[in-house]
Amino acid sequence: MDERLRRFLFPSPTPAYLLRVVLVALGAYGFFGFVCTPFVIRGKSMESTYHDGGFDFLWKPHYLYSKPKRGDVVAIRLAGADVVYLKRIVALAGQTVAFSNGVLIVDGKPVEEPYVKGPCHWNLPPRKVEPDHVYVVGDNRSMPMEQHDFGQVSLRRIIGVPLW
Amino acid sequence: MVTRNKILAGLGILLAAWAIYTFFPTRTRQVKRQFSALSEWVSKEGPESNLALLNEATKADEFFAPQCTWEARKYDLSGTVTPQEVARYYFAARARFNKLTLKFYDLEIRFPERLTARVKATARITGTLTDGDSVSETHEVKCTLHKIHGKWLFGQVTVVEVLER
């Protein structure tokens, strides 16, 4: 075996090499543990944009210098960050949101939602989103409204966005 | 000889550490164990006989205090129940499932008093009903446990509404 290849594949455990290994391990732990966390999607509430069993990364610094806006898909923490909801923001604080025969109505105007693929017949009376909250809904509106978790959520619970 | 003694001493220390860890758990680990035990008690892998179900149901008093307060607005559930009532609900609800799994994540445990624990956690229930329909529910829960006769028992369970319609 070529000497350079051998040294690359089987490096000597010199102090400098061990330091590099430790730094890479710490960097990977910090990056994938706190900045860009891998996650698996469980559930069908975001079909057909995100599929059950799909894999993605949660990009946490997304809202460091910007605010959540309508149309964003966001991760919402529950008791911690191990299990999160993945939902789409459909209305912001102060706006009025409703559903009429499956059509999303924001501030009295129907909203076109190209990401909603299946048929939807939801009806929900108008309600105003409280300050420091956003209104989130999953993209899968074909499932019965009673089985779908949606509603207004505090901005403090939004911890990032999926990377793709 | 010196080396052998050192190895034996090391093994002795490891054994003692393991024994302390296992037989003298901290309060936090005791509470975590109770959540794990509750998960096991609720979960089922497949069909089970009524006798086995009845036998399991009678263990409700190993998990719940004599008076346990429930609050889950989403399910129109609120009130105080006894372990016997929990056992009846357990029997009825579990019979509707072929498979059932309850898991807890992100347990945050505090002890405001020596014999009281307040826990915030994410509960995830998945399963298959007897008619074949799938169930998948995720909720944040807040629980209060009291140490009664050496056991941490659930005295209050509240399902937090993270998303308010």
Side-chain angles (χ1 to χ4, degrees):
Chain A
M1 190 185 289
D2 176 51
E3 179 59 23
R4 282 177 61 191
L5 182 63
R6 194 192 65 77
R7 278 217 311 265
F8 179 78
L9 292 174
F10 306 104
S12 307
T14 60
Y17 170 75
L18 292 175
L19 181 65
R20 279 204 301 276
V21 168
V22 169
L23 287 177
V24 168
L26 283 176
Y29 177 76
F31 185 75
F32 292 114
F34 302 101
V35 181
C36 190
T37 316
F39 70 94
V40 175
I41 295 157
R42 298 269 180 242
K44 296 178 177 174
S45 80
M46 281 302 285
E47 298 271 359
S48 59
T49 311
Y50 295 95
H51 301 286
D52 187 18
F55 177 80
D56 208 325
F57 286 90
L58 177 59
W59 181 243
K60 293 183 178 175
H62 189 80
Y63 293 120
L64 277 182
Y65 301 106
S66 64
K67 288 190 171 177
K69 57 185 187 300
R70 269 172 61 186
D72 286 358
V73 176
V74 294
I76 299 156
R77 71 165 175 78
L78 293 151
D82 280 356
V83 178
V84 298
Y85 283 135
L86 202 58
K87 302 285 176 190
R88 189 181 295 274
I89 297 175
V90 297
L92 302 173
Q95 292 187 309
T96 303
V97 61
F99 279 99
S100 176
N101 200 24
V103 178
L104 172 68
I105 314 280
V106 176
D107 287 340
K109 292 175 188 159
V111 177
E112 201 175 314
E113 296 182 286
Y115 41 80
V116 177
K117 303 293 184 196
C120 174
H121 306 287
W122 292 7
N123 285 296
L124 187 77
R127 62 228 31 232
K128 196 171 182 181
V129 184
E130 290 174 16
D132 297 321
H133 286 66
V134 289
Y135 206 89
V136 297
V137 188
D139 289 354
N140 183 359
R141 313 279 170 80
S142 299
M143 60 198 293
M145 198 173 83
E146 294 71 29
Q147 291 176 15
H148 193 114
D149 285 320
F150 69 93
Q152 69 168 4
V153 64
S154 166
L155 285 170
R156 284 179 302 163
R157 285 191 179 264
I158 294 177
I159 57 170
V161 298
L163 209 51
W164 58 77
Chain B
M1 184 61 99
V2 174
T3 309
R4 205 186 78 173
N5 285 346
K6 279 182 181 171
I7 290 171
L8 284 175
L11 284 175
I13 290 168
L14 281 177
L15 192 66
W18 173 81
I20 290 169
Y21 184 80
T22 305
F23 299 113
F24 303 98
T26 60
R27 285 188 303 179
T28 304
R29 282 190 58 231
Q30 288 174 352
V31 171
K32 281 184 179 174
R33 277 186 188 177
Q34 189 67 338
F35 273 82
S36 298
L38 181 67
S39 296
E40 274 182 37
W41 184 60
V42 169
S43 301
K44 72 185 262 190
E45 290 296 316
E48 60 191 357
S49 67
N50 277 352
L51 193 64
L53 185 53
L54 197 62
N55 187 40
E56 284 297 310
T58 56
K59 294 178 183 169
D61 58 358
E62 292 179 20
F63 299 100
F64 295 96
Q67 296 286 313
C68 180
T69 307
W70 283 80
E71 195 181 334
R73 268 167 51 194
K74 188 183 174 187
Y75 303 105
D76 290 329
L77 183 68
S78 98
T80 303
V81 290
T82 62
Q84 290 73 32
E85 285 168 314
V86 172
R88 277 202 294 275
Y89 293 136
Y90 176 89
F91 191 89
R94 204 171 150 97
R96 293 179 56 219
F97 284 88
N98 271 338
K99 275 189 174 181
L100 181 61
T101 308
L102 169 67
K103 283 188 177 173
F104 292 100
Y105 301 86
D106 293 317
L107 270 77
E108 185 187 306
I109 303 168
R110 291 185 302 111
F111 295 95
E113 292 163 38
R114 197 170 64 85
L115 299 176
T116 302
R118 290 201 204 288
V119 183
K120 195 166 80 170
T122 300
R124 185 161 159 74
I125 299 170
T126 53
T128 314
L129 294 167
T130 46
D131 61 11
D133 283 353
S134 298
V135 173
S136 175
E137 299 258 341
T138 307
H139 296 290
E140 179 176 316
V141 290
K142 282 183 179 171
C143 308
T144 303
L145 289 85
H146 304 290
K147 195 166 189 181
I148 302 169
H149 303 308
K151 282 207 158 194
W152 287 99
L153 302 176
F154 288 81
Q156 187 172 22
V157 180
T158 306
V159 175
V160 178
E161 288 213 60
V162 174
L163 303 176
E164 289 176 69
R165 287 188 181 178

